[in-house]
Amino acid sequence: MGRDRRALSAICTAHDAGLTGCTSCGRVWPAGTLDCGRCGARLRPVDASSLQVVWAWLAAGVIFYIPANLYPMLRTSVLTGSSENTILGGVIELVSHGNLGVAAIVFIASIVIPIGKFLAIAYLALAVGTERRAGGHRHLILFEVVDFIGRWSMIDVFVVAILSALVQLGFVAAINPGPAAVSFALSVAFTMLAAQSFDPRLIWRGPPDDPDTSDDA
Amino acid sequence: MPPVREQPRDLAALIACPRCDALHLAEPLGPNERAACARCGTLLVTPRTRSFLHVVALAFTAMILMVAAVFFPFLRISAQGLSHDSSVFSAAMTFADGILAPLSLAVLLTIVGLPVLRFAALIYTLWPLANGRPAWPHAAQAFRVAERLQPWSMAEIFVIGTAVALVKVAGLASIGFGPAFWAFCVLIIVTALKNAFMSKWTIWDAIDAR
């Protein structure tokens, strides 16, 4: 069966050849080897059970995203009084001041992109279990976009840190961080871990135990 | 690099694409050639011509810039006769009170600690290789750590974050840049160059050849 599959498919994978490829250095080893003999990394067989880890990190990311939106991100005190801003509150305030451009940037960076990442990772984790090899390129591009954008969401936390460190002018103006900064940072970190534990090699495989896989390739 | 159709005896001559698992035969590359995965296009091997010594030099440069970036003043804000200096260290330490304290540590790690650790691990791995000597003990672990840390070292994101923060306070007060700000800007260029010059497969091959 394995031999038929190799003959039919255009490209032979390490898995097809009865080997496990090291995701860290690219060296291949016979299937069943535990650690890569060259770089020492744990060898991950291409196995859909690794998706459970993805779901766990993703759930943690979503859970921490909720308080990130409910609690204030920034506490601003100026001469006229002090105010607390949640992410969405900050966007609404920017809109009411007419700063549509900045409002759009904050809205996209802090709300659209995080939610988009949750949806994209969930979609990928669902899709690799069911779809055939054909969807590969589209899914790989989606994965690479999510993987690339992941760390950039930390920018919000850094902006809060820089603003709070910089704007300390006594009674004239002071900005202090709010509790949402921590849960936002955790949400970003967990989403990054979810993307990192997603094995893109699964994209190119059909359902793991589907006997039809050898026919459609 | 040709995709593999029959399995050869020598497993060391094969590269499995880390993104899609396609097997390739590793062939020696010419000076300006690069190898990409035949299926998904992931870059597998980049040319080695400028590799090791350049990476070592850039990692050293990055270390020196990081020292400057941490200890020199970063930004200065002034409004209505009041002014306030802040360093990178104080930016990280804004979270140090109360329940936000772990975030302080995380910010400090992601913008200073992990990048420095990464540079040190790269220098340790590549210094003997650049001089044509066999790799030092535990070079494989050190290089693996450097690779694993890459997504978590966020110095460049911090710099863009600075730009966003500056846009936000631009109407409120006037801002001055300290030497640390410029050190950070150069640092991200140096880091990007260093990453571009690195070929994982070539480095693993060299470590393996000891």
Side-chain angles (χ1 to χ4, degrees):
Chain A
M1 167 86 110
R3 179 149 281 279
D4 294 340
R5 193 161 140 188
R6 207 178 315 156
L8 283 168
S9 65
I11 286 173
C12 174
T13 65
H15 180 81
D16 294 337
L19 303 165
T20 306
C22 173
T23 44
S24 163
C25 73
R27 182 88 154 77
V28 292
W29 303 94
T33 314
L34 292 180
D35 294 308
C36 175
R38 175 158 72 173
C39 71
R42 174 91 64 82
L43 287 180
R44 294 198 297 175
V46 190
D47 184 356
S49 65
S50 66
L51 289 176
Q52 291 177 11
V53 182
V54 178
W55 285 115
W57 286 124
L58 184 64
V62 173
I63 289 168
F64 276 93
Y65 188 65
I66 297 168
N69 279 285
L70 296 180
Y71 287 100
M73 194 86 168
L74 283 176
R75 293 200 172 97
T76 316
S77 16
V78 287
L79 279 172
T80 48
S82 72
S83 64
E84 294 193 334
N85 270 340
T86 58
I87 295 174
L88 201 58
V91 173
I92 292 167
E93 193 170 310
L94 282 169
V95 171
S96 66
H97 287 329
N99 279 332
L100 288 179
V102 184
I105 292 172
V106 176
F107 184 72
I108 290 170
S110 312
I111 294 173
V112 175
I113 288 179
I115 292 177
K117 274 190 304 184
F118 297 145
L119 294 178
I121 294 173
Y123 169 73
L124 282 173
L126 287 173
V128 293
T130 54
E131 268 190 56
R132 304 285 155 81
R133 288 168 187 236
H137 284 282
R138 217 160 26 84
H139 290 167
L140 187 74
I141 289 168
L142 184 62
F143 170 74
E144 286 188 335
V145 167
V146 169
D147 200 32
F148 175 80
I149 280 181
R151 27 202 312 271
W152 285 93
S153 293
M154 250 349 201
I155 202 166
D156 274 311
V157 179
F158 292 143
V159 168
V160 172
I162 294 160
L163 282 179
S164 328
L166 196 59
V167 187
Q168 292 296 343
L169 296 170
F171 59 91
V172 177
I175 294 179
N176 288 305
V182 174
S183 40
F184 192 86
L186 284 173
S187 172
V188 171
F190 289 147
T191 316
M192 278 174 73
L193 286 167
Q196 282 176 18
S197 34
F198 179 80
D199 189 346
R201 295 174 301 177
L202 283 170
I203 292 172
W204 306 93
R205 276 188 74 194
D209 299 307
D210 188 348
D212 296 339
T213 325
S214 54
D215 304 329
D216 68 75
Chain B
M1 217 167 274
V4 171
R5 292 201 165 74
E6 280 303 314
Q7 184 185 335
R9 296 263 166 263
D10 182 17
L11 293 185
L14 295 174
I15 304 181
C17 172
R19 283 280 150 103
C20 76
D21 211 30
L23 268 185
H24 301 80
L25 262 176
E27 288 182 341
L29 292 182
N32 279 314
E33 284 182 316
R34 42 167 56 187
C37 173
R39 175 158 64 181
C40 70
T42 302
L43 207 55
L44 296 174
V45 186
T46 45
R48 74 180 300 165
T49 32
R50 290 189 289 185
S51 233
F52 298 157
L53 203 55
H54 273 74
V55 175
V56 169
L58 289 169
F60 265 120
T61 315
M63 288 269 242
I64 293 164
L65 286 169
M66 188 60 98
V67 172
V70 171
F71 292 106
F72 284 121
F74 186 56
L75 295 170
R76 155 183 284 260
I77 185 173
S78 32
Q80 304 176 19
L82 292 166
S83 77
H84 178 73
D85 281 316
S86 73
S87 65
V88 170
F89 192 73
S90 74
M93 281 302 148
T94 50
F95 298 117
D97 309 324
I99 60 156
L100 300 176
L103 189 56
S104 249
L105 188 67
V107 169
L108 209 55
L109 272 180
T110 51
I111 61 179
V112 180
L114 297 183
V116 166
L117 192 58
R118 238 188 118 222
F119 302 144
L122 282 178
I123 293 171
Y124 180 86
T125 313
L126 294 180
W127 178 254
L129 299 178
N131 290 313
R133 280 191 239 114
W136 282 331
H138 305 298
Q141 282 95 323
F143 187 60
R144 193 152 52 89
V145 166
E147 283 295 310
R148 295 269 322 250
L149 289 181
Q150 185 170 7
W152 301 100
S153 65
M154 302 185 177
E156 73 270 33
I157 300 171
F158 182 74
V159 173
I160 306 294
T162 313
V164 176
L166 291 185
V167 171
K168 285 193 173 181
V169 292
L172 187 74
S174 63
I175 305 289
F177 298 105
F181 179 81
W182 303 114
F184 243 114
C185 290
V186 179
L187 181 71
I188 56 170
I189 297 169
V190 169
T191 311
L193 279 177
K194 176 175 67 63
N195 290 345
F197 285 161
M198 263 174 44
S199 167
K200 277 191 345 175
W201 176 262
T202 320
I203 294 174
W204 280 124
D205 239 11
I207 294 174
D208 206 25
R210 76 198 121 154

